[in-house]
Amino acid sequence: MTQVSLSITAAFFFALSGAAFAQDYNAVPAGDSQYRECLVRVNKIYEGGNEKSPIRGQNKAQAYCTCLWNETPDDFRGNLSKFADSDRGKRIDKICTKYSDWE
């Protein structure tokens, strides 16, 4: 294989692994109050939350809040969306914005 072929092959497998990773979040339990609160807030202050996300069966707001719910520590009890808007939450917001394709 040439160097170009190896680079293309590596990029292909990296892209596949990224797509698989995006599907690996745990489902949010039905009725979870943090998740519901997140959906209400992001749909109230941002536009486009009802648009289709790259995650099958979820709109952008649902994908974003699912990501936030999974990315915050298990003992986090605050408002997920407010945390993502804070200085401490910027890294997670960036991850979840990309995950939901909500830019």
Side-chain angles (χ1 to χ4, degrees):
M1 270 189 164
T2 66
Q3 185 65 26
V4 173
S5 295
L6 287 173
S7 296
I8 292 171
T9 302
F12 174 75
F13 284 110
F14 180 75
L16 284 179
S17 68
F21 173 76
Q23 301 293 332
D24 285 345
Y25 283 128
N26 294 320
V28 178
D32 185 85
S33 61
Q34 280 183 306
Y35 178 75
R36 274 195 328 262
E37 179 180 53
C38 180
L39 290 175
V40 168
R41 184 170 188 268
V42 298
N43 281 312
K44 184 178 180 180
I45 62 176
Y46 301 109
E47 294 181 13
N50 290 322
E51 295 174 8
K52 185 178 177 182
S53 79
I55 310 307
R56 187 177 353 151
Q58 292 185 334
N59 63 32
K60 291 183 179 195
Q62 292 166 330
Y64 180 77
C65 290
T66 296
C67 176
L68 288 178
W69 188 87
N70 277 274
E71 289 289 338
T72 55
D74 289 341
D75 62 349
F76 181 79
R77 298 292 177 243
N79 184 302
L80 297 170
S81 175
K82 285 183 180 180
F83 177 73
D85 287 342
S86 73
D87 288 339
R88 287 181 41 219
K90 283 182 182 181
R91 181 186 67 79
I92 292 173
D93 175 63
K94 187 174 181 177
I95 292 167
C96 295
T97 298
K98 184 175 181 175
Y99 174 78
S100 64
D101 191 30
W102 198 4
E103 297 187 48

